Each structure stands twice: as structure tokens, then as C-alpha cells.
Amino acid sequence: MNVTDLSMGSRPMNAKELTDKAKNFDWNPRIGFKYWARAAETIYHEGQVYLREGNVPKAYLVLFRFSTLVLEYLVKHPEAKEPESKRALKPLQRRIPRVIEQLETLRPEIDDTYDRWMRITAAQRDTLRSGEPFPAASSSTYAKHAANDPALSWSYASPANILDVQDHQDLAVDLAKKEMRRRRQASGLVGEDYGRRDSVQRGGQDRETGTIRLVPQDMDDDELRRQMEATRRQLDRSDDYARGYDDEDYIRPSTYYYPSITKSSPLKYERPVSRGRPEGPRLQPPRPPKERHVDRAPIEPPPRPDKDLYLERESPPIGPPPRPDKEPLALVTPPYSSRPSEERPAIPSKLNAEPAPQKRITFRPAGYLENGDPIRPVFLPSTLRHKFLKLAADNTRRGLEMCGVLCGTTVNNALFISHLVIPEQRCTPDTCETENESVMLDYCITNDLLVIGWIHTHPTQTCFMSSRDLHTQAGYQVMMPESIAIVCAPKYEPSWGIFRLTNPPGLPHILSCQRTETFHQHSVDNLYVEAGSPQGHVYESKALEFEVCDLRPGH
């Protein structure tokens, strides 16, 4: 971005910028296929959640990244032809047509928002920026990072209250619990247009009839290959359009089906009505006898109602209105039930005749990587570690390592660990290697879970990240920078720690390391750091619940 863009702070990104950002990730075929498959499943889940929350730019970015990873990279991985890899790849490929349809639906909204921003004057931009929930100009570091973060970039199509999670931890957990409860009650449905669950059967929706097309899970390879080639060509055309090319073969769909977004945890208020005729019939009280004096021209015009007085007109009065006194009837308003000031919607902007949309809550990044990229806050149930140690007790007594996978979801731009999954694994005194990854991926797909990190024991060693641990963590963190590694060393102090790779130098150095022995030295220091609060981005919560799923045979 240029200096002008940074000074604007929250200028919305256009489709070209989002596409370039989506393609900007470090592909490394030396990382095992199972880690890349996990990453693809994770970013797909993130995209669906961002759709639900109405964060259109972030949804577009991660869904485009998902399609790029599956279509261009996973199929070329050295392990792609192995049986387990094929089983893990097929459900990801079946999601491509739906993702392409979502991208085509979101792009017009992104372009429209950007075009409207470019059409307004500099003075109007200053007026809009004056109401942004960003820190003051003195916080130039945050403003610079926020300008490059689609999750925080300004969009008057979907405004947000941006909060600091450090000061609102209880609120973040409460919102997450309510949202996760809502999702469970919805039985996997996330929206009328976009939320059809992809577990046993996957498909799309017929645009003409609105009926769901189910794609059998046992689709043969030839049919799947033809479908993949068609969607690849469609993605190529979408990319050309995002770059601004004049492609005569590209035909913009005549009708776009915008997502029916269910807000994650919106501030509750009634949408203001226009100052004209109210919507729907409204019973009027009988005209009081002293109202006739309104017909006489007053010496001075009555004062303009303020915002709160205008908002009070949203709801009809409960019971009869009070009898007016000497004031003109135009200023008599029904009783008003008090609400927090932040829940009152703003009067529609003069730049847009439509009423102001509901504001969603978004938590700002909990920190930044060494390269300046934002990392979202992660909430960890405080009792999860103790439960894991009980499950690993038998292995610990025998001197064998054991691992678990930390899964959860994202709500309001924060990550919440809600599941501890114990995968099938092969354990030794120094390593634990997961097996039969497709079973764990199926579990994550069925339960709409993303992989946020992992936890493992050091039964005979201290609490640190070994060279083998560093390479494993790189597989988690390459596509999700917030991913964490929890190490438990029950026989030593400290008995546990939460870590992440630095970036740089940690992540790029590990990704470029070609040594294959279990334990080896690295020539670079400062490869990983503590990730727990307050210096890190992980917050423990006693109020956060979690489930355990043990996928090991016989458990």
C-alpha cells in the first residue's frame, strides 16, 4: 500500500488486493500432507464462520486461499497419491464448487464497497474516519497493521465495534458460549444460503428451484476430475476478473444470491426507521383538546429532536401516552426503556440513504508476529491440561509420549478451543506420531471444527520445544499463525508451557531445514517464544467448557 492508503487507515480492500493476499503463503512440500490437509480444513471452516459474522473481506480472503491450496498445491504434493492422502483430499475437493460459488457471490459486494469509497470526497472520508473505532493517530503502529487486516478494515456495509480482548475477556467468552450453543441448536445449519452442513453428503443449491443438489460421497474419480477441471477454469476466470482484465469469456452472473448472514453476537437494538412515513400501521392516540394551538405559527421553530429522541420513536408506546402539556405535539414522545449507549444505532449517514446496519463485535488482534502480521486471541479452557494429563497417565508411567489436538472455532475474530481430540497415534519415549488422519479430519468436518494447535507430554524430559517439536509446530502454524503447542513435563518445573514459533526467524528457518533425523541442532536462536498471556496471545478461562473425543482404537 502507498502512503495515502496508510493514512486512510481503514480503506476497504478491493478484490485484487484480497486475491494477492490470499495467494501470499509459504508452500513447502516437505511438510507432511496431513498437515496441509488440516490447514485446508481449518481455513475453510474459518471462511464459513466469517460469512456468518458478516465479515465479507476476510471470508473472501480465506475462501480464495482454500481454493488455491486445494486446486494448485495439494494435488502436487509428493504424498498426494498415497491412499491416506487421497482419502483426506477427496472431501476437500468436493467443497470447491461451493467455494467458487461463494466467491462469485461475495466479489460484487467487495467491489461495490470499494467503488463507493472511491467515489466519495476526501472531506466525506474524513467525516467517516472520525467515527472509526481505531486508536488515536498517536498509535501509528496499530493503525498501520489495521489497514492491512481485512478483519478490521473499514466497511460501511458492515460496521463493527472493535474491542480489546484484554479488557473484555469475560465478554468474549460469554459471546463464544452463546454462539456455540446457537450452532449446536441449529444442528449444523449456518445460514439459509451458505450453511448446509458438509458431512456425509455435499453439494450445492440449484439457483432456479432452490433445491439442494446432493453429491454422493462415493463419486468416482473420473467424475470428480471433470468437476475439478471445470471449477479450476472458473477460478482462473475469477482471478482474471479480480486483476481487472477484460475477459470476453467471463460472464458475470445476472443474479447474485447474497448470503443470509446470521450475526454471531450482534448488539441488540431495533433498526431505525426513516423520518418519513413509518412502516406499517400505527395506532394514534386521540388528539388532545389543547393541540389546536399547533395550527398557529410559532414565533420560533421547535428545536430539532436529538438522536436519542429520534430513536425513541422506534417502538410504539406501552400503554397510553402521557397527556401533553403546553409543548407542541411534535415533541411528545412515548416512554423510553433505557439501553446502554453503545447499543443505540447511529442515524443513517448522509452518504447513504439506507438505514445504518447493525454493528457486529470484533476483537482486535491480541498481538503481532515479529513480521508485523496480526495474531488473534486464543482462549484455552483452564481445565483442559489436567484432563489431558489424566488421559496420558498410563503412557506417562511407561515413559511414552502422548499427544492431543486442540480444536475449536472462531467467534468475533477470536479463537476458542472447545474440543480435545486424541487421535490414533504411535508413541515412543521421544516422539508421538499421529496415524489415520482421515478419521480425525472427518470428525472435524462433521463437527465444524478448526485445528488451533496441539498438546503433548514429555514424560522423561523438561518443558521445552525439541527439534522434532519445532518441525511439527511448523506444520500447524504455516497457515494459522495463532496455532499453539502446549508441552507438559509432569516430573519437572516448570511442568508445562504454551509456545509458538517466531516469524521470523523461527518459522521460515524451520520450513527451510532439510535435516530428517529425530533430534538435530539448528543454527539460529530465538526459534520459539512463550505464547501465554500477558506477553502472548493465549488466555485461560475457567468458564470455557470443552469436549473430549478419543479416537484411539479401544478407547
Side-chain angles (χ1 to χ4, degrees):
M1 287 188 173
N2 57 35
V3 177
T4 304
D5 293 335
L6 293 178
S7 66
M8 289 180 184
S10 58
R11 178 185 67 79
M13 294 184 180
N14 58 32
K16 172 64 167 57
E17 292 170 323
L18 292 171
T19 298
D20 291 343
K21 203 173 185 67
K23 292 182 175 181
N24 185 23
F25 63 89
D26 296 322
W27 166 255
N28 190 327
R30 288 193 296 272
I31 295 178
F33 186 93
K34 63 182 180 182
Y35 295 109
W36 285 113
R38 286 182 195 171
E41 173 60 29
T42 291
I43 60 177
Y44 172 83
H45 177 83
E46 285 185 287
Q48 303 308 311
V49 173
Y50 280 122
L51 278 176
R52 285 196 292 264
E53 295 180 349
N55 197 325
V56 173
K58 191 69 174 181
Y60 186 88
L61 187 152
V62 296
L63 290 175
F64 199 102
R65 179 170 291 174
F66 169 83
S67 61
T68 302
L69 179 60
V70 174
L71 286 174
E72 298 183 15
Y73 293 99
L74 287 184
V75 293
K76 300 176 182 178
H77 194 279
E79 302 171 10
K81 296 188 181 299
E82 296 180 4
E84 185 173 344
S85 300
K86 288 183 177 181
R87 288 194 298 270
L89 181 59
K90 275 191 175 182
L92 300 174
Q93 290 176 323
R94 290 192 184 98
R95 285 177 162 169
I96 289 295
R98 178 185 174 194
V99 169
I100 297 298
E101 184 178 358
Q102 290 174 340
L103 291 172
E104 287 189 338
T105 304
L106 293 176
R107 190 188 303 111
E109 185 171 347
I110 293 171
D111 291 337
D112 179 67
T113 300
Y114 179 79
D115 291 342
R116 282 190 288 162
W117 171 267
M118 297 304 293
R119 286 196 300 266
I120 63 179
T121 66
Q124 289 172 328
R125 294 176 187 175
D126 291 339
T127 300
L128 290 169
R129 286 198 304 270
S130 66
E132 289 177 3
F134 295 113
S138 58
S139 181
S140 58
T141 301
Y142 179 83
K144 178 179 179 179
H145 292 313
N148 291 280
D149 186 357
L152 301 179
S153 62
W154 178 88
S155 170
Y156 49 80
S158 183
N161 284 326
I162 299 180
L163 304 178
D164 189 341
V165 75
Q166 177 70 42
D167 301 328
H168 299 87
Q169 296 183 42
D170 293 338
L171 172 64
V173 173
D174 288 343
L175 292 176
K177 291 170 66 176
K178 291 178 181 178
E179 172 62 12
M180 287 187 281
R181 189 182 308 117
R182 185 197 66 78
R183 294 179 191 176
R184 288 194 297 268
Q185 292 173 350
S187 300
L189 297 179
V190 295
E192 296 177 5
D193 297 323
Y194 283 148
R196 293 173 296 280
R197 191 164 194 153
D198 293 345
S199 53
V200 178
Q201 293 178 312
R202 310 178 219 291
Q205 185 176 29
D206 190 279
R207 295 192 177 209
E208 298 295 332
T209 64
T211 58
I212 296 176
R213 302 189 308 271
L214 295 180
V215 180
Q217 195 168 13
D218 58 352
M219 178 192 298
D220 61 78
D221 291 340
D222 290 338
E223 183 179 355
L224 180 60
R225 190 177 301 109
R226 287 194 298 269
Q227 189 180 52
M228 291 296 295
E229 288 299 324
T231 53
R232 187 194 301 274
R233 290 192 298 269
Q234 193 171 6
L235 179 61
D236 291 340
R237 290 197 300 269
S238 301
D239 191 21
D240 290 341
Y241 177 76
R243 289 194 297 264
Y245 295 162
D246 293 328
D247 189 349
E248 296 180 357
D249 295 331
Y250 179 81
I251 302 176
R252 181 191 288 263
S254 59
T255 303
Y256 287 100
Y257 291 78
Y258 286 88
S260 177
I261 296 170
T262 302
K263 300 293 183 183
S264 173
S265 295
L267 295 175
K268 298 183 181 300
Y269 59 81
E270 298 292 332
R271 184 185 291 265
V273 298
S274 66
R275 294 181 181 271
R277 185 174 181 178
E279 297 179 359
R282 176 174 296 184
L283 297 178
Q284 297 293 338
R287 296 169 66 89
K290 292 188 178 182
E291 192 187 33
R292 296 177 181 174
H293 76 282
V294 178
D295 297 335
R296 298 192 299 268
I299 299 175
E300 294 181 358
R304 182 185 182 91
D306 58 17
K307 182 189 297 184
D308 291 347
L309 198 58
Y310 166 66
L311 292 175
E312 291 170 3
R313 294 179 179 272
E314 293 176 34
S315 305
I318 302 175
R323 185 180 182 86
D325 49 17
K326 299 294 184 179
E327 291 182 312
L329 182 63
L331 297 183
V332 177
T333 57
Y336 175 64
S337 58
S338 61
R339 287 179 284 182
S341 58
E342 64 269 18
E343 293 187 3
R344 300 175 185 173
I347 294 178
S349 168
K350 294 182 179 180
L351 301 178
N352 192 341
E354 300 176 357
Q358 291 185 346
K359 282 191 175 183
R360 54 186 169 84
I361 290 178
T362 293
F363 291 104
R364 67 179 58 165
Y368 296 96
L369 295 176
E370 291 72 18
N371 64 2
D373 289 344
I375 48 177
R376 294 165 291 180
V378 173
F379 282 85
L380 170 71
S382 57
T383 57
L384 184 145
R385 176 172 53 93
H386 303 288
K387 179 64 177 179
F388 173 72
L389 287 175
K390 288 182 180 180
L391 293 172
D394 184 56
N395 275 33
T396 302
R397 283 191 296 268
R398 293 186 293 161
L400 301 175
E401 286 194 5
M402 178 172 158
C403 69
V405 179
L406 307 175
C407 301
T409 188
T410 176
V411 179
N412 304 112
N413 206 43
L415 297 164
F416 298 86
I417 295 172
S418 60
H419 288 70
L420 169 62
V421 180
I422 309 298
E424 186 176 343
Q425 54 194 274
R426 183 175 64 255
C427 303
T428 72
D430 299 317
T431 64
C432 52
E433 191 71 26
T434 60
E435 296 181 325
N436 202 5
E437 281 279 322
S438 59
V439 174
M440 190 183 72
L441 282 178
D442 287 343
Y443 178 81
C444 292
I445 290 172
T446 302
N447 293 276
D448 287 332
L449 297 174
L450 56 87
V451 177
I452 302 176
W454 63 302
I455 182 172
H456 73 290
T457 56
H458 279 186
T460 61
Q461 301 181 69
T462 58
C463 181
F464 74 107
M465 292 281 282
S466 67
S467 56
R468 182 65 173 267
D469 296 340
L470 295 175
H471 282 266
T472 300
Q473 175 63 14
Y476 285 87
Q477 202 170 318
V478 67
M479 292 295 280
M480 178 181 276
E482 297 88 357
S483 296
I484 58 174
I486 301 178
V487 180
C488 299
K491 296 182 179 180
Y492 297 90
E493 287 294 335
S495 61
W496 71 293
I498 308 175
F499 307 104
R500 69 165 175 86
L501 297 178
T502 56
N503 185 15
L507 182 61
H509 177 78
I510 297 299
L511 291 177
S512 63
C513 177
Q514 301 185 29
R515 300 181 64 175
T516 58
E517 57 266 40
T518 301
F519 298 108
H520 55 270
Q521 294 294 323
H522 292 278
S523 59
V524 175
D525 296 326
N526 191 31
L527 293 174
Y528 66 96
V529 293
E530 285 272 358
S533 178
Q535 71 272 20
H537 65 291
V538 181
Y539 301 87
E540 285 194 89
S541 171
K542 296 180 179 179
L544 196 59
E545 302 171 349
F546 69 97
E547 299 179 16
V548 178
C549 177
D550 198 332
L551 299 177
R552 295 175 296 173
H555 289 78

